[in-house]
Amino acid sequence: MRKPLIVGNWKMYKTITEAVAYVDRIKAQLPPADQVEVELAVPTLFLQSLVERTRGTNLKIAAENCFYQDEGAFTGETSPVALRELGIKHVILGHSERRRLFYESDAVVNQKVHAALQAGICPLLCVDETMKRQVQGDRVQWVVSQVLTGLAGVTAAQLPRVTLAYEPSWAIGAGKAAATPSEANEGCYLIRQTLARLYGESAAARVRILYGGSVNQTNLPALLAQSDIDGVLIGRASLDPAVFLQMVAVAQ
Ligand code: PEP
């Protein structure tokens, strides 16, 4: 009942020339949207031109971040309302890199979730888990609290527009090993149980929850076979169009 969702996260990679070449190469080769949904989260600079190039295809362009105000004296920030006007329908919020490098707190992430929803954009809320928390033995509490705070004030009517991603930072980036399929599923299950506490079992059962952290062609099939993993958020392996296409084909 939950359609698979494959999201590439380009982070701060590629130039506009490379971005256009990549998108032109893959956009006509994707499976239909009723089988698998495909998104690329790209730097703000590329949004407008990639949205225009992908209109009418099964490749949706998403933003990697937005601010929690619609407008104002916020140098360098991106308005969710301006994103919506460009035709952007999804935005990643609370990525572990934003939390760690740009000091985004759970409260700020929550404000962004509300601003995005208000602007008509669907948030992809990332839930982090650090190795320190694992070692200290409070990872469950840590994951649960990010869901509770990140979604504070989000109504049951808004919930279907939210996607979550379990993204342990100990598994993200070069030199890291992915979570095992059962560890990844456990994280996604924990998020779903927290949603069930907040919104009830049947609402929670309809929300898509992704896993992210060193996903590649080899580990993808086992991850997608898990009961609570509805798709993946892919960093490095999404940078190569041929590899990304192959990964989308696995999810079909
Ligand atoms: C990410 O940054 O969301 C991510 C999952 O990165 P990677 O796949 O490179 O670990």
Side-chain angles (χ1 to χ4, degrees):
M1 103 181 152
R2 298 184 299 259
K3 202 191 307 169
L5 172 62
I6 305 294
V7 184
N9 175 16
W10 280 0
K11 312 190 185 195
M12 200 183 72
Y13 288 101
K14 301 196 183 293
T15 63
I16 185 67
T17 312
E18 292 166 344
V20 164
Y22 179 121
V23 161
D24 284 351
R25 172 156 173 210
I26 73 162
K27 66 184 181 189
Q29 295 189 55
L30 297 168
D34 58 355
Q35 291 175 19
V36 53
E37 288 176 25
V38 185
E39 290 180 17
L40 278 178
V42 306
T44 314
L45 273 176
F46 311 158
L47 288 170
Q48 179 163 17
S49 85
L50 297 190
V51 164
E52 281 164 9
R53 300 186 93 82
T54 52
R55 241 184 267 288
T57 73
N58 183 23
L59 179 58
K60 302 296 168 228
I61 301 299
E64 295 179 11
N65 184 32
C66 72
F67 196 51
Y68 54 75
Q69 297 280 355
D70 292 345
E71 63 176 10
F74 306 109
T75 304
E77 288 295 341
T78 304
S79 157
V81 169
L83 289 180
R84 187 69 190 91
E85 195 188 281
L86 281 186
I88 299 297
K89 302 213 175 66
H90 293 92
V91 60
I92 296 179
L93 295 175
H95 190 279
S96 62
E97 287 153 13
R98 300 289 323 168
R99 293 177 189 266
R100 180 169 45 88
L101 300 172
F102 302 96
Y103 311 107
E104 285 189 11
S105 64
D106 286 337
V108 163
V109 173
N110 176 250
Q111 282 180 281
K112 292 184 171 196
V113 166
H114 282 287
L117 287 168
Q118 195 66 36
I121 299 179
C122 300
L124 168 44
L125 171 62
C126 295
V127 174
D128 183 20
E129 182 193 290
T130 61
M131 190 45 91
K132 186 166 146 229
R133 298 284 169 178
Q134 267 218 350
V135 172
Q136 287 174 349
D138 61 354
R139 57 179 282 263
V140 169
Q141 160 64 21
W142 178 246
V143 168
V144 169
S145 76
Q146 282 172 83
V147 178
L148 296 178
T149 327
L151 294 181
V154 171
T155 65
Q158 291 172 318
L159 185 67
R161 294 171 49 211
V162 178
T163 301
L164 290 101
Y166 169 63
E167 286 232 319
S169 46
W170 50 262
I172 294 179
K176 307 274 177 63
T180 63
S182 64
E183 282 170 335
N185 197 50
E186 202 181 290
C188 293
Y189 176 75
L190 183 56
I191 291 174
R192 200 176 305 285
Q193 287 309 104
T194 312
L195 294 179
R197 246 173 72 192
L198 291 170
Y199 301 98
E201 293 278 347
S202 73
R206 286 193 291 273
V207 175
R208 282 193 292 201
I209 303 177
L210 314 184
Y211 164 74
S214 297
V215 178
N216 56 37
Q217 290 147 289
T218 311
N219 57 27
L220 182 60
L223 288 165
L224 290 178
Q226 302 297 309
S227 59
D228 280 284
I229 300 180
D230 307 315
V232 283
L233 185 50
I234 310 168
R236 281 156 298 152
S238 72
L239 294 174
D240 180 326
V243 172
F244 190 62
L245 273 178
Q246 282 165 21
M247 292 174 85
V248 168
V250 170
Q252 225 175 315

